[in-house]
Amino acid sequence: MARTLLFLSSNGVGLGHLTRQLAVATRLTAGFRPVFHTMATAAQLVRAAGFPVLFHQHHLAANLPPGPWNDMLGQELLALADRLDPAAIIVDSTAIFGGYVTLLQHWAHRPRLWLRRPMWQEGNRHFLDHAGLFSDVIEPGELAAELDQGPTTGHPALKVPPVLHISPHQRQPRTIARRLLSADDDRPLVALQLGHVFGSRTADLRHRLLAALERMTVQVVDIHSPLEPPGPDPGPCTQILYPSYALSTGFDALITPSGYNSFHESLLGAVPTLFLPQAGPGMDRQDLRALWAASRGLALTLEADAGEAGIADAVQQLLAPDFSQALAAAGLAEGWTNGAFDIARLLAQRVQE
């Protein structure tokens, strides 16, 4: 009988934590049954991937006080664990909620893994006090680690290579990707993928980016995830895709925030990228990632309030042949192995011990 593994993740409208867990779940060997409990509205994407999933709304989205909400979360997780009898619990979240603490304390006899990415802001330091609740703390690799001066630096953790849901070699060939993106071969294709990280500023930012690109001799694909409705009047370049990285071989340039997944996908996949770092309470240091890549000529970066002229100039630089050639020559993926395999192997070992 398959051993059940319980994956817990936070997020809200984002996909980062959940995508990393999917990277691990899809690389487990036979004999394991991943079950997901998430606060991400992306729950339907987990179900589409073939895994059972339970959605629990974050207290901010539910407009509930943290105390009662954590009590409910803890009771729900205890009931779920009693029913599933998980062989291990895997948490991917910066915040270790009180409800998580309740579950981890009651299930201290089973392996409990914390997938804790680096690049934290100082305000999240107190969550490290909960590290003792876990049997293992695993840190997904970070290309820009040398710039990280946040709370997790020096904190004990097993470090694995960067984790990707889709590895670069798993992407579609360029000709097929272009066809699926409805792109012709006569003009460069610029992909725009903003997600929800800019909140109420997203619509204005998208408008400025599209306005700048419309003045250029390029094709544009404005990518939305299935969780991000394009609005009542979507433009002709709007496409709903997940995971879009599978078609990134068809991009000549990409404009996206520098979150963990997008950053490592772009650089390891040699996609010429303009990073728009987002900053906010509780978020990772996207600015440091973008700075690291830009300082090495591996990407460009602009503030989200940049004007149309600056956007157009940056895209022109990305489309220059020497930029993509230099990025490919950097060979960041040479010798890289997907850390998701390391985590899957460790998880199997812990369950069998």
Side-chain angles (χ1 to χ4, degrees):
M1 180 179 294
R3 306 290 299 278
T4 297
L5 304 176
L6 180 56
F7 286 81
L8 310 180
S9 66
S10 53
N11 276 122
V13 295
L15 293 167
H17 297 289
L18 193 58
T19 297
R20 267 191 305 277
Q21 289 196 326
L22 282 171
V24 175
T26 53
R27 287 168 174 83
L28 290 165
T29 57
F32 294 105
R33 175 178 177 255
V35 176
F36 287 75
H37 181 286
T38 183
M39 299 170 202
T41 54
Q44 61 177 287
L45 300 180
V46 179
R47 192 172 295 112
F51 300 115
V53 59
L54 180 65
F55 172 69
H56 187 100
Q57 195 172 38
H58 190 280
H59 65 83
L60 292 177
N63 196 27
L64 290 173
W69 176 85
N70 269 299
D71 291 341
M72 289 188 291
L73 174 62
Q75 292 305 310
E76 179 175 283
L77 290 174
L78 287 176
L80 181 63
D82 285 342
R83 180 177 179 83
L84 296 176
D85 188 25
I89 298 169
I90 306 93
V91 177
D92 193 316
S93 175
T94 298
I96 302 301
F97 301 100
Y100 285 179
V101 172
T102 298
L103 175 68
L104 295 167
Q105 289 175 336
H106 279 76
W107 284 79
H109 56 293
R110 296 288 169 84
R112 302 160 318 285
L113 282 66
W114 186 11
L115 308 189
R116 174 193 56 67
R117 58 141 171 73
M119 288 289 188
W120 283 20
Q121 294 193 46
E122 184 61 32
N124 290 326
R125 179 180 292 274
H126 63 283
F127 290 122
L128 293 175
D129 295 340
H130 295 300
L133 293 170
F134 295 91
S135 55
D136 296 274
V137 178
I138 305 169
E139 183 174 295
E142 172 69 62
L143 289 175
E146 64 189 80
L147 296 186
D148 188 4
Q149 297 181 349
T152 63
T153 56
H155 191 268
L158 172 64
K159 297 185 179 182
V160 300
V163 172
L164 295 186
H165 184 201
I166 295 176
S167 295
H169 71 273
Q170 294 178 298
R171 296 177 295 174
Q172 293 285 354
R174 179 176 172 85
T175 53
I176 295 177
R178 300 279 288 199
R179 190 177 309 139
L180 292 173
L181 291 165
S182 301
D184 60 51
D185 295 326
D186 300 328
R187 294 173 296 156
L189 177 64
V190 179
L192 173 62
Q193 184 165 327
L194 297 181
H196 275 292
V197 297
F198 295 100
S200 60
R201 297 185 297 155
T202 304
D204 175 68
L205 175 58
R206 176 174 281 110
H207 175 78
R208 281 186 287 112
L209 290 167
L210 290 174
L213 294 171
E214 285 172 1
R215 293 180 171 85
M216 304 175 64
T217 310
V218 298
Q219 303 169 87
V220 179
V221 56
D222 180 15
I223 298 171
H224 294 244
S225 82
L227 312 174
E228 183 192 8
D233 187 24
C237 62
T238 299
Q239 290 202 33
I240 298 177
L241 294 173
Y242 180 83
S244 61
Y245 187 57
L247 303 183
S248 62
T249 49
F251 307 161
D252 295 294
L254 171 65
I255 303 174
T256 189
S258 44
Y260 181 91
N261 295 308
S262 296
F263 179 78
H264 290 93
E265 287 173 349
S266 294
L267 294 187
L268 291 171
V271 180
T273 302
L274 170 60
F275 288 120
L276 306 176
Q278 164 66 333
M283 296 190 67
D284 51 347
R285 293 296 305 273
Q286 295 191 12
D287 57 325
L288 295 181
R289 289 198 190 98
L291 174 63
W292 182 88
S295 67
R296 285 158 178 75
L298 302 173
L300 298 179
T301 182
L302 284 177
E303 296 296 326
D305 58 358
E308 293 180 20
I311 294 167
D313 179 66
V315 172
Q316 289 286 15
Q317 292 182 59
L318 291 178
L319 294 176
D322 58 347
F323 193 97
S324 58
Q325 291 167 6
L327 180 57
L332 292 180
E334 293 179 8
W336 167 80
T337 57
N338 197 331
F341 284 108
D342 299 75
I343 298 171
R345 282 192 292 267
L346 176 65
L347 186 52
Q349 291 171 7
R350 292 292 184 262
V351 169
Q352 294 166 4
E353 288 176 351

